[in-house]
Structures are given as structure tokens and as C-alpha cells.
Amino acid sequence: MTDTLTSSAQTSPTAKSEILEIVRTTLAGLAIALLFRIVLFQPFTIPSSSMEPGLVVGDYIIVSKFAYGWSRASLPFNPPLPDGRLLGGAPERGDVVVFRLPRDPSQTWIKRVIGLPGDRIQVRGGQVFVNGAALPQTPMTVVQDHDDPYRQVLEVRERQPDGRSYVTYDGGVGQPGDDTDVYVVPEGRYFMMGDNRDNSLDSRWPRELGVGLLPADNIVGKAELVLASWKPGAAVYKPWTWLNLQWNRFARPIR
């Protein structure tokens, strides 16, 4: 018995040091992961169809925090910090941006930047005009909506002045939001639109209903990559659905 007690006493400090080392390693790993998430990149899952066809429900995307600098919107829980952005960069027309909804900052939404500060934006007959010039549109193919197979839409390629292009959905003529007033984007704000043009509450609607003109401080980051994509019904708490993947959507750059 004496030998056993002595042996336990001798090994106890070693066991304690091992436990402390495990705790330190775990805390360090958590700190690095938290820093990575806050400062560099953050993942999000697409919950709605407003950015089809480029982004669909179930897409797991990576958002760059450092692309535009950091504001309180970049931090967890949107803490009550002063206005402004640290090392702030400005989004460009055509960027796909994740932001906190102005009327409810607990919600994060995703749309495309259409208008910059000082721009005059109008939609006429479903075509976007920036400072009086129409964004060129090329009709493509009538397809079934990715998330609503009973809905037919026309794929339309829209092109920005810098040559960047992306595909939008057009649900037909005479849809709400196809014709708007002229919006003058004030300093520190952005005009946002969803690519699924007839299924997106965006800057064409006031903030009480849609986005309104988005304050720069509400921007979380730039959407960069679709890392993976799950079919509807998949969930973390349903292990049997983890492989219900949309296999053709792996590692797709967001354009």
C-alpha cells in the first residue's frame, strides 16, 4: 500500500502538467481559430434564393473580412463600438458582399454592389442604369429556377463597365422592382441588388421592407468562394444527411 501511495504522489505532478498542457493547447487553438474568424475569413451558409443562380440555398461560402477592413459589423454580436472602419477599403461595383441588415443587425444578408457613393441608380424595364448608362444585358436560356423547379426564369448575363460579368435570373416583364425611381446614393452608402432580380428584397425597397441604401459600417466582408454545398434538408444535427451534397458546387469562385 505504501508503495502505491508513493507512486501516485510521484506521478501526480506529471499528470497535472499534462492536463495543464492540454488546456493551454486547447485554449491557444480556440484563440487562433477565433482570431482567424474575426480578422481574416468567416464561413456562412446561404439560406435563401435571392442570389441565384450564382449562389443557391445550401451553399457554404467563405467571406473575406480583410477585403474592406473591419467595423463593428465584422465582429461577433455587432458590439456597440464607434462608427467607422479600421483600414477601410471600398467595395467595387459588382462585388458580392455580406452585410448586417440595417433594420435588424442580428441578420446577415448577401447581395451584389450595384451603386457606389455618388451614383444615380434606376431600374427601367428590368434593366439597371448607372449614371444614365444601361448595364449591358445578354439574354441566354429559359431554365427552371434552381430552388423552385415549378418556376421558369430567363438567364441574363449582365456586364459591369469594367468587363466583369455574372448571370442573373429574370422572372418576366412587369414584376415588382422592374421599374424604379432614380436613387442617388449618398456618401458612405451602397446600392445593393440580388441576382435573382424578381425574388430579392434589396435596395429597391426601403429599409423597413428590404435593405434600403446600405451603410458602409454594416458590411461584414466580401464573398469569395463557395467551399461546398448541401441539398435542402441537410443539417449538422442530422448525421445521415452530411453527404447530401451538391457535388458540382465545390470550390467555386464567387463572381
Side-chain angles (χ1 to χ4, degrees):
M1 180 67 69
T2 303
D3 289 342
T4 303
L5 290 173
T6 302
S7 176
S8 299
Q10 289 173 345
T11 58
S12 180
T14 302
K16 288 180 179 178
S17 65
E18 289 178 353
I19 292 172
L20 288 173
E21 183 60 29
I22 290 171
V23 170
R24 281 197 294 266
T25 302
T26 302
L27 291 176
L30 289 172
I32 292 170
L34 184 61
L35 183 66
F36 187 86
R37 187 178 186 275
I38 291 174
V39 176
L40 300 178
F41 297 99
Q42 183 173 350
F44 289 90
T45 301
I46 299 298
S48 77
S49 304
S50 71
M51 284 297 291
E52 288 182 326
L55 296 172
V56 303
V57 172
D59 281 354
Y60 187 74
I61 68 171
I62 301 300
V63 173
S64 166
K65 291 285 193 74
F66 59 85
Y68 310 129
W70 299 267
S71 71
R72 62 176 178 237
S74 311
L75 302 176
F77 310 114
N78 194 44
L81 298 176
D83 294 340
R85 303 190 72 85
L86 178 65
L87 303 177
E92 298 178 0
R93 290 191 193 90
D95 285 0
V96 177
V97 169
V98 170
F99 56 90
R100 293 189 181 274
L101 187 64
R103 70 171 180 272
D104 182 3
S106 68
Q107 296 186 40
T108 49
W109 284 25
I110 184 167
K111 305 289 181 190
R112 190 179 297 276
V113 176
I114 295 296
L116 304 179
D119 283 346
R120 298 171 62 85
I121 306 297
Q122 186 178 26
V123 182
R124 300 203 302 262
Q127 187 163 24
V128 179
F129 289 76
V130 179
N131 299 322
L135 295 184
Q137 293 182 334
T138 304
M140 297 169 64
T141 309
V142 174
V143 298
Q144 306 303 119
D145 185 308
H146 184 280
D147 292 336
D148 183 0
Y150 297 102
R151 177 182 181 236
Q152 284 195 327
V153 291
L154 175 64
E155 289 184 323
V156 178
R157 182 168 294 279
E158 185 170 271
R159 190 173 301 277
Q160 291 285 333
D162 63 1
R164 184 187 334 193
S165 71
Y166 41 87
V167 177
T168 66
Y169 274 173
D170 181 4
V173 299
Q175 301 289 326
D178 275 359
D179 294 279
T180 72
D181 295 332
V182 176
Y183 297 89
V184 179
V185 185
E187 190 65 30
R189 305 277 176 137
Y190 294 90
F191 192 95
M192 316 296 293
M193 290 182 71
D195 289 349
N196 193 350
R197 293 291 164 79
D198 299 317
N199 189 21
S200 175
L201 291 174
D202 45 43
S203 291
R204 290 171 289 177
W205 282 267
R207 59 178 286 164
E208 293 78 17
L209 181 62
V211 175
L213 296 172
L214 179 69
D217 286 353
N218 284 54
I219 292 175
V220 174
K222 180 180 180 182
E224 300 277 10
L225 179 75
V226 177
L227 187 62
S229 186
W230 277 264
K231 295 177 182 178
V236 172
Y237 57 86
K238 300 177 183 177
W240 60 92
T241 67
W242 291 354
L243 293 181
N244 289 353
L245 296 162
Q246 302 184 80
W247 295 99
N248 63 335
R249 299 192 61 78
F250 274 76
R252 293 167 62 112
I254 297 172
R255 306 191 184 283

